[in-house]
Amino acid sequence: MAGVSFLWLELTGTCQLACAHCYAQSGPSGTHGSMTRADWVWVLDQAAEMRVEIVQFIGGEPTLHPDLPGLIDHALACGLEVEVFTNLVHVTEPLWEVFTRPGVSLATSYYSDDPDQHAAITGRPSHARTKANIAEALRRGVPLRAGVIDFGMVDDAAQRSERAHTELADLGVPAVGYDRVRQVGRGVRDQQPGTAQLCGRCGDGVAAISPNGDVWPCVFSRWLPIGNVLDVELARVLSSPLADEVRASLEQAFRGHANTDDTQACGPNCSPVCDPVNCGPRCEPMSSPCSPKQCSPADQFCSPNYPGPGRRCSPRTGNPCQPMQCRPTR
């Protein structure tokens, strides 16, 4: 896990919503955890020194963390690209100003074009606000992708996921992903958290850090902590014997159920982007069905002219970019 190019930074367990499928079990009663602003800054400094390319601020709802603007500024100053995964329920004008900075992009989830069905999933009326802020992000020129999470049935009615996809496309969202509910956290239905809920590439160039400093192979694999950045430097956590052991066990498990997601139907107008949290199946251009592949948001805005295998591009320009250096401040 030492060669990491993408980090999830789970700033908080607090969220205005209480989504029925939340893998982090976030909600109004959640907290920002034990990681302080200084701790997150130290993580960003280490990430830049390790040549991480992209960090995603996620939660919970990261816009509820008071230090989000400053942490985005610090990440950009370190030469890191930034994605903020937000429910877009409430965005203040100061946050919009931060989101429009070069190097920042947004991601969100969407569930139905029907407000009542959307609310049944998110735990409160949220459809109108999220939809309006999607439109506002696009109006402001903020790079944005969205993902439709498919429950199948909601309150004994078929989820209007395809119409949600169409609504996003009609709004002008350039990249719309599609994923099934991952049975982790509140997403558990008829299965239990385990490797069957993972995309097949967890720990492969990616890692996640929790509000309490725990490090996981990805945000879904929360039962597999490999260390804590409050105790040990990030690079040492990712290169530890425990990390190697977890990575080997995951690789073995994934070989045992290779391409289990291949039977999953792609959403309408399937596009070559990752699912909403960057750790699920993605569709190749002009092909179907989905299959587990490497996921990171680095190439999400390159489609349809993706510059080739192994290449990364800027969300705003489509041009290859090189990671910059950031001098440690601690």
Side-chain angles (χ1 to χ4, degrees):
M1 294 182 195
V4 170
S5 61
F6 174 77
L7 279 176
W8 289 274
L9 304 182
E10 196 170 293
L11 291 184
T12 181
T14 301
C15 186
Q16 312 100 319
L17 308 180
C19 293
H21 63 296
C22 182
Y23 61 85
Q25 297 183 307
S26 300
S29 62
T31 73
H32 298 326
S34 52
M35 289 282 285
T36 66
R37 176 190 174 113
D39 294 325
W40 285 117
V41 165
W42 178 224
V43 165
L44 291 169
D45 289 343
Q46 293 175 79
E49 192 172 50
M50 293 166 55
R51 296 180 180 268
V52 170
E53 298 175 22
I54 302 175
V55 293
Q56 183 191 84
F57 293 107
I58 192 170
E61 173 50 38
T63 62
L64 296 180
H65 197 290
D67 295 324
L68 177 64
L71 292 174
I72 291 175
D73 286 343
H74 191 79
L76 294 175
C78 287
L80 298 164
E81 290 192 39
V82 171
E83 183 176 67
V84 180
F85 197 100
T86 168
N87 57 36
L88 287 175
V89 168
H90 179 66
V91 183
T92 64
E93 182 59 33
L95 276 176
W96 279 124
E97 293 175 3
V98 174
F99 293 165
T100 56
R101 294 189 60 183
V104 179
S105 61
L106 299 178
T108 194
S109 295
Y110 210 67
Y111 306 102
S112 175
D113 68 327
D114 178 78
D116 291 337
Q117 193 173 77
H118 198 278
I121 294 171
T122 64
R124 64 166 288 183
S126 57
H127 178 268
R129 291 186 179 185
T130 296
K131 181 179 178 181
N133 281 323
I134 287 173
E136 180 64 13
L138 296 171
R139 186 188 72 80
R140 292 176 182 252
V142 180
L144 169 73
R145 65 189 180 89
V148 177
I149 308 298
D150 192 357
F151 281 69
M153 301 292 290
V154 180
D155 289 344
D156 297 323
Q159 183 184 346
R160 295 163 63 97
S161 54
E162 291 191 5
R163 291 178 180 172
H165 192 291
T166 299
E167 186 168 62
L168 291 168
D170 289 345
L171 285 169
V173 178
V176 182
Y178 195 83
D179 194 25
R180 61 182 169 87
V181 171
R182 303 281 168 170
Q183 298 202 41
V184 178
R186 285 199 298 267
V188 170
R189 298 295 185 268
D190 58 347
Q191 301 178 35
Q192 292 297 316
T195 56
Q197 305 305 320
L198 306 179
C199 72
R201 300 301 295 270
C202 292
D204 185 3
V206 299
I209 302 175
S210 83
N212 292 320
D214 289 324
V215 182
W216 305 305
C218 75
V219 287
F220 286 125
S221 56
R222 310 171 80 82
W223 67 94
L224 292 173
I226 59 173
N228 190 294
V229 294
L230 294 176
D231 300 327
V232 181
E233 292 181 355
L234 179 59
R236 290 176 59 193
V237 171
L238 296 174
S239 60
S240 68
L242 177 58
D244 291 340
E245 180 182 335
V246 168
R247 179 178 57 195
S249 67
L250 286 172
E251 289 175 351
Q252 182 176 5
F254 294 147
R255 283 195 298 269
H257 56 80
N259 293 338
T260 54
D261 278 332
D262 282 352
T263 57
Q264 174 187 326
C266 297
N269 305 315
C270 186
S271 57
V273 296
C274 298
D275 73 87
V277 288
N278 311 305
C279 192
R282 57 175 280 201
C283 306
E284 291 298 325
M286 307 300 292
S287 71
S288 175
C290 296
S291 61
K293 295 186 181 296
Q294 177 65 38
C295 268
S296 99
D299 62 350
Q300 63 191 339
F301 296 103
C302 301
S303 59
N305 298 313
Y306 183 60
R311 298 285 296 280
R312 296 188 182 275
C313 64
S314 163
R316 291 185 179 272
T317 66
N319 297 323
C321 78
Q322 299 296 323
M324 298 172 63
Q325 296 289 331
C326 176
R327 293 181 179 179
T329 60
R330 170 177 167 183

